[in-house]
């Protein structure tokens, strides 16, 4: 804690180009500033590397959020769900996604600020408020993700059921057509046999009359 406080003080003094220390009143000569810079260089490098890594993580998180936002199916493509309820959910989820996007962009701005001024405190930042915002947004986003998954699962179940019913109907239709075809075949076969018998009798009658 003391190290961070001292480093922030160093950053403030160098940014303001002060000629003496506001804490102790000592003169800030070029040599003294070089000594302080050397002392804090390792910490500055560590912070710079950490902010770079965090920026990559939050940039990836923002990209995933955009992907999730664009993956929501339009209501007209969904089956087996309450359309009005889904439209209400879609409006609410859009608000939550926008809030999450704003929060991630704010985090990236803070990281950019810290990366550009590693020895200085982040400006406009209240830890308690920020922590509460993150917790609130994360909880609402989790609810949106779960609810969207529920709607999609309901749609998929409806489609699966429809496919099964369609397959059953096709099987029944096929069986009915086969039975009908078989009945017609039997009728035709019976008629053909009858015709053959009639022809045979006619031929016999002709032969007897000769």
């Amino acid at each position: 804690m003391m190290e961070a406080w001292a480093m922030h003080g160093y950053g403030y003094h160098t940014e303001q180009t002060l000629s003496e220390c506001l804490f102790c009143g000592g003169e800030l000569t070029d040599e003294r500033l070089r000594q302080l810079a050397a002392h804090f260089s390792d910490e500055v490098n560590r912070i710079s590397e950490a902010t770079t890594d965090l920026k990559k993580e939050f940039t990836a998180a923002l990209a995933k959020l955009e992907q999730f936002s664009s993956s929501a199916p339009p209501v007209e493509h969904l089956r087996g769900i309450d359309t009005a309820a889904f439209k209400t959910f879609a409006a609410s989820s859009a608000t939550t996604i926008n809030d999450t996007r704003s929060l991630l962009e704010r985090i990236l701005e803070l990281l950019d600020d810290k990366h550009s001024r590693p020895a200085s405190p982040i400006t406009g930042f209240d830890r308690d408020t920020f922590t509460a915002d993150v917790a609130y947004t994360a909880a609402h986003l989790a609810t949106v993700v779960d609810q969207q998954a529920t709607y999609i699962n309901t749609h998929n179940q409806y489609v699966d059921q429809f496919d099964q019913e369609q397959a059953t109907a096709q099987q029944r239709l096929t069986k009915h057509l086969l039975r009908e075809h078989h009945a017609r075949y039997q009728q035709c076969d019976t008629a053909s046999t009858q015709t053959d018998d009639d022809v045979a009798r006619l031929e016999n009658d002709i032969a007897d009359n000769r």
Side-chain angles (χ1 to χ4, degrees):
M1 186 70 178
M2 193 66 180
E3 179 76 9
W5 177 80
M7 188 173 66
H8 292 161
Y10 165 75
Y12 177 80
H13 282 69
T14 53
E15 285 179 1
Q16 301 298 320
T17 62
L18 299 178
S19 59
E20 63 179 33
C21 176
L22 297 177
F23 179 71
C24 68
E27 185 181 2
L28 293 175
T29 62
D30 291 341
E31 178 59 28
R32 181 56 178 161
L33 289 174
R34 278 195 293 270
Q35 292 174 352
L36 290 171
H39 175 74
F40 291 121
S41 62
D42 290 340
E43 183 67 11
V44 167
N45 289 336
R46 185 190 67 79
I47 292 175
S48 180
E49 291 174 359
T51 53
T52 298
D53 292 339
L54 286 172
K55 282 180 61 179
K56 291 179 181 178
E57 292 181 14
F58 281 104
T59 299
L62 184 59
K64 289 181 179 179
L65 178 70
E66 300 301 346
Q67 183 180 9
F68 171 77
S69 176
S70 63
S71 69
V75 65
E76 60 269 17
H77 291 176
L78 294 174
R79 299 292 180 269
I81 66 168
D82 185 330
T83 300
F86 182 82
K87 287 182 177 179
T88 301
F89 157 76
S92 175
S93 65
T95 300
T96 299
I97 288 173
N98 286 335
D99 290 344
T100 306
R101 182 185 295 110
S102 297
L103 179 63
L104 290 174
E105 290 173 347
R106 179 183 169 199
I107 291 173
L108 287 171
E109 289 175 359
L110 293 174
L111 289 173
D112 280 335
D113 178 49
K114 188 62 179 177
H115 187 75
S116 63
R117 302 184 303 117
S120 302
I122 298 176
T123 57
F125 175 77
D126 181 82
R127 184 186 182 90
D128 293 337
T129 302
F130 184 77
T131 301
D133 287 347
V134 170
Y136 176 85
T137 304
H140 278 69
L141 183 62
T143 300
V144 167
V145 172
D146 290 342
Q147 188 62 54
Q148 180 167 308
T150 299
Y151 277 118
I152 291 176
N153 287 337
T154 300
H155 164 77
N156 289 340
Q157 290 172 0
Y158 180 90
V159 171
D160 289 342
Q161 182 179 356
F162 175 82
D163 289 343
Q164 291 174 359
E165 292 175 351
Q166 184 180 45
T168 300
Q170 287 176 338
Q171 291 174 356
R172 290 175 179 173
L173 178 61
T174 300
K175 289 180 180 179
H176 172 74
L177 292 176
L178 286 175
R179 283 196 300 267
E180 188 177 84
H181 177 74
H182 182 67
R184 289 180 180 176
Y185 171 78
Q186 286 182 322
Q187 291 175 356
C188 291
D189 185 59
T190 300
S192 177
T193 301
Q194 183 65 44
T195 301
D196 290 343
D197 291 343
D198 292 343
V199 170
R201 281 195 301 271
L202 181 61
E203 288 177 346
N204 288 334
D205 291 342
I206 293 173
D208 292 340
N209 292 326
R210 284 179 179 177

